[in-house]
Structure formats: structure tokens, C-alpha cells
Amino acid sequence: LKEKRYPKENKDRDSNYQEAYLGLRKLIPASGSMLTLGFTGATEKEKNSAQNSGRTDVSNTIQRYSLGLYQPIIQGLDMSANISYSRTEYDETDVSFLKIPEDKAMVYGLGIMKSIGKSSMVTLNGTYTDNKSNIENKVYNKTGVSLNYVYNF
């Protein structure tokens, strides 16, 4: 059980969050590849529901299915690719749209990792999200790029 806490002006978004993950990994020794298949189930419940905050965008249930591939390319250079599908169902009717929101998202990711010596690496990752919803203003596409340096000590 986790708590999500927000700053004072968004205190009505505070919630209790539970998540369970079940995954399978398959190592392919000949290539050094690894396939990962996963399922995540989560619930988020508004903490202040007894105070009737009026928020309808906090309490929800999430189901996420994911598939990932890790693949060494050459010594010190690896790649990863993943795809996931998630469905989020909210508990309450959105008062502005008079519907119970339901979101569906496809997320695609691709990354490259370059080892630098024995204790550090650089990673470059890209993601693309395609979010669909029965609430118009929650339909969007998003692209993200990140560059990271990791040093293990």
C-alpha cells in the first residue's frame, strides 16, 4: 500500500494506491536476449472521499499488459524495445461530461544503452503514447525522449 500526497493546493487528490505485478522472463542464452511478459493490476482510492471533495478523477482501477525485449547488439552496446497496453476505469461519473471515464493507452518504447567502463553507462530512450478515452479532452498522443547517465558506485 502506497500513499500519493500532493501539495496543499491539490490536497484533494491524495490517495491510497495498491499495485500487483506478475511477470515472466525468458533468457535466450544463444543471443543473450531476454523477453519479458507482464501484467499489472492496480487500484487507487481517494483518501478524502468522506469529506466529499467532489473529485471524480482520483479513484480508479488499472490493468496493464506489457511485452519487452532486451537485446545485446555488440560488446558494450545493448537495445531494449517494449510495448504496453493499459486500461484505466474510474469509479465515479465525471460531472462535466456525465460519463464514467475510461482510458486506454498504447505505449511504445525503444532504447539504446552504451556501457562506459565497468561502472557507468549512457542510455537514450524514446517513447510514444497513444491515449484514447471516452472523455474528449483526455485523448492525446505524446512523444518523449530521455538521455541518462548512470554511474554505479
Side-chain angles (χ1 to χ4, degrees), residues 2-148:
K2 299 177 188 177
E3 285 188 14
K4 288 186 179 180
R5 295 179 181 229
Y6 291 85
K8 188 177 181 179
E9 60 273 5
N10 286 321
K11 196 79 176 141
D12 55 350
R13 287 213 59 191
D14 286 358
S15 63
N16 291 319
Y17 182 80
Q18 295 179 3
E19 180 178 286
Y21 174 79
L22 177 63
L24 296 170
R25 288 185 180 172
K26 172 67 175 162
L27 180 63
I28 303 166
S31 64
S33 302
M34 185 179 341
L35 281 171
T36 306
L37 179 65
F39 171 75
T40 303
T43 59
E44 184 171 1
K45 299 298 176 194
E46 183 179 6
K47 281 184 78 169
N48 301 321
S49 59
Q51 297 172 1
N52 195 15
S53 70
R55 298 294 301 238
T56 59
D57 60 344
V58 178
S59 296
N60 64 67
T61 303
I62 300 170
Q63 295 175 348
R64 183 176 303 113
Y65 304 90
S66 58
L67 178 64
L69 170 67
Y70 165 81
Q71 175 69 51
I73 300 172
I74 58 173
Q75 181 69 32
L77 187 65
D78 306 321
M79 64 142 305
S80 64
N82 54 62
I83 184 171
S84 69
Y85 168 80
S86 63
R87 190 169 108 198
T88 305
E89 295 177 340
Y90 292 85
D91 293 356
E92 300 177 49
T93 300
D94 184 298
V95 294
S96 299
F97 294 93
L98 302 177
K99 297 178 187 175
I100 296 175
E102 184 177 312
D103 303 338
K104 297 176 183 176
M106 289 294 300
V107 179
Y108 307 90
L110 190 58
I112 195 121
M113 297 147 278
K114 171 69 176 137
S115 297
I116 303 172
K118 292 183 180 184
S119 59
S120 63
M121 72 173 148
V122 174
T123 66
L124 177 64
N125 296 295
T127 59
Y128 175 77
T129 303
D130 183 16
N131 198 75
K132 305 286 188 213
S133 179
N134 63 342
I135 305 291
E136 246 180 75
N137 67 349
K138 294 173 72 179
V139 175
Y140 63 87
N141 295 326
K142 177 172 65 173
T143 303
V145 176
S146 65
L147 178 64
N148 301 290

